[in-house]
Amino acid sequence: MPDLEQKILAWRRQMLAAGITATSLTELENHLREDVERQLRLGVEINDAFNHATKTMGSAVALKKEFQKEERSWATTLVSLIGVAFLIVAGLFSLIILPKFFHQSVGWMPKLIALAIVALSVSSWRSGYKLLPAIGNARLRALAGFVSCLLAMIWMRCFVLYLLPQIVIGMIGQDQFLGWYFLSFLGGFATVAILGGIGHGLEKAAREAGPVTD
Amino acid sequence: MIRKELVAASAEPMVLAILAKGESYGYAIIQEVKARSAGKLNWTDGMLYPVLHRLERRGLIKARWGEGETGRKRKYYSLKKDGKMAMTKHHEQWSLVHSVLAGLQKENYA
């Protein structure tokens, strides 16, 4: 059936142009052929069989979008790891600061705020990905994660160099100075944890997302 | 026709349950789902493969290239131990949803 072969070849080109990898395409092509053959056995005309098979297969763009969620490049892996590193650093520092903070004679309000901040950091790591979009395009995903990690670094620098000295100047001499000082640190690290959590979570969100159906 | 969100959510447990019966491949899996649902669970066929690849990456199923009846290269998938556990977990969750709905329906029509 040279006509069918021509059609399949054109379909293959379309899939490859959309960016479907050769290995995945082998599976998809086998599927397409089996579907066409089954219809031909039922007496369906060849053009109708092919058109029906390609329609039920799904469009090249929609398929690529789904496959991309599974593709991991060195860039997405690296960004995800950087995100994890930020989470670990923020988590460790929070763990060191938290007992020191609770030793200070601060009111219940700052203590509640501190607990809320730590809970926020932990949930950013554990379930932050559930709130993030599943970006199918691996390059775009890596870029978004990278920007988030970059923001975490910029934030850390600004926090230590500019924000923290301001807080110290503003609070010095006050009763609960050390308590508020430690609380500021917790807040600073929570921001790092959230931004790092986005870097890591974007990758997880893409992987955990279910299939899209037309 | 079943809503697309439900189709998407049921894809993973469905694939795991089919593979629990034995090794299979993409086209056969789709055909089985269609046959068992009398064509009401309509997948966009190609979307099955990212699901299979995801399950494979997560270590729930394994794949091997073999040869089909026509001599064509075919990728066969089979369930791994972790996949069996994941299937049981899925089954428990879906059973719970089903029993809640069935109980409510029974009361509503009582």
Side-chain angles (χ1 to χ4, degrees):
Chain A
M1 283 175 279
D3 192 30
L4 179 66
E5 290 306 316
Q6 284 297 320
K7 280 176 187 291
I8 289 177
L9 203 64
W11 173 84
R12 269 189 70 93
R13 281 202 200 104
Q14 206 185 338
M15 290 282 157
L16 283 170
I20 304 275
T21 59
T23 323
S24 296
L25 192 52
T26 307
E27 261 189 305
L28 292 176
E29 187 186 329
N30 282 344
H31 188 113
L32 188 82
R33 284 180 184 275
E34 283 203 45
D35 201 17
V36 172
E37 282 161 11
R38 182 187 58 86
Q39 291 182 74
L40 292 179
R41 281 198 298 274
L42 293 173
V44 180
E45 195 263 325
I46 195 160
N47 278 333
D48 291 342
F50 179 79
N51 290 341
H52 183 266
T54 46
K55 194 168 167 263
T56 49
M57 181 65 82
S59 75
V61 177
L63 284 175
K64 177 59 189 168
K65 210 174 143 194
E66 281 308 306
F67 276 113
Q68 264 180 333
K69 288 183 188 166
E70 282 309 293
E71 287 167 14
R72 303 186 76 183
S73 64
W74 63 267
T76 55
T77 310
L78 184 69
V79 167
S80 180
L81 286 176
I82 295 172
V84 172
F86 276 123
L87 280 166
I88 292 172
V89 169
L92 279 178
F93 274 95
S94 300
L95 274 178
I96 294 167
I97 293 166
L98 204 62
K100 289 184 194 293
F101 169 74
F102 273 91
H103 271 110
Q104 302 300 314
S105 54
V106 288
W108 58 271
M109 193 58 166
K111 282 182 183 169
L112 270 184
I113 296 173
L115 286 176
I117 287 173
V118 172
L120 200 67
S121 307
V122 174
S123 54
S124 161
W125 166 49
R126 296 295 300 164
S127 40
Y129 72 93
K130 289 178 187 163
L131 301 173
L132 294 167
I135 304 173
N137 187 325
R139 271 190 203 165
L140 196 65
R141 195 163 72 233
L143 184 69
F146 178 73
V147 168
S148 183
C149 290
L150 192 68
L151 283 176
M153 274 191 265
I154 294 170
W155 162 256
M156 211 49 221
R157 190 178 156 80
C158 291
F159 179 72
V160 174
L161 289 182
Y162 309 110
L163 213 60
L164 205 60
Q166 290 295 323
I167 293 168
V168 171
I169 292 165
M171 299 290 294
I172 210 150
Q174 290 196 22
D175 284 351
Q176 299 171 350
F177 167 71
L178 264 181
W180 287 107
Y181 179 70
F182 286 138
L183 190 62
S184 316
F185 254 108
L186 283 177
F189 283 118
T191 312
V192 172
I194 290 166
L195 289 170
I198 293 174
H200 169 63
L202 281 172
E203 193 57 27
K204 202 167 178 192
R207 278 186 280 128
E208 297 290 319
V212 172
T213 49
D214 284 340
Chain B
M1 203 61 79
I2 311 282
R3 281 193 310 129
K4 63 176 184 177
E5 291 87 355
L6 195 57
V7 174
S10 61
E12 195 178 304
M14 208 87 69
V15 168
L16 290 174
I18 289 171
L19 293 179
K21 297 194 298 151
E23 194 179 59
S24 191
Y25 60 98
Y27 189 71
I29 294 172
I30 290 265
Q31 289 308 109
E32 178 147 10
V33 171
K34 282 181 183 167
R36 282 178 178 270
S37 67
K40 282 179 183 156
L41 259 172
N42 247 340
W43 289 1
T44 306
D45 288 11
M47 299 300 182
L48 169 71
Y49 294 94
V51 176
L52 286 167
H53 296 179
R54 179 159 47 240
L55 291 171
E56 188 187 355
R57 183 185 46 73
R58 283 166 54 197
L60 303 182
I61 62 174
K62 60 177 187 238
R64 69 168 182 94
W65 283 98
E67 212 172 80
E69 303 86 44
T70 48
R72 217 177 282 141
K73 241 168 77 170
R74 186 184 274 169
K75 201 173 177 185
Y76 288 96
Y77 295 89
S78 57
L79 202 62
K80 286 174 77 175
K81 207 175 147 201
D82 282 355
K84 216 167 210 165
M85 278 156 63
M87 184 188 71
T88 312
K89 216 169 147 190
H90 272 299
H91 190 77
E92 282 167 9
Q93 290 172 355
W94 281 86
S95 298
L96 178 73
V97 173
H98 174 74
S99 72
V100 170
L101 280 175
L104 284 168
Q105 200 186 23
K106 210 172 160 188
E107 281 174 33
N108 287 337
Y109 288 98

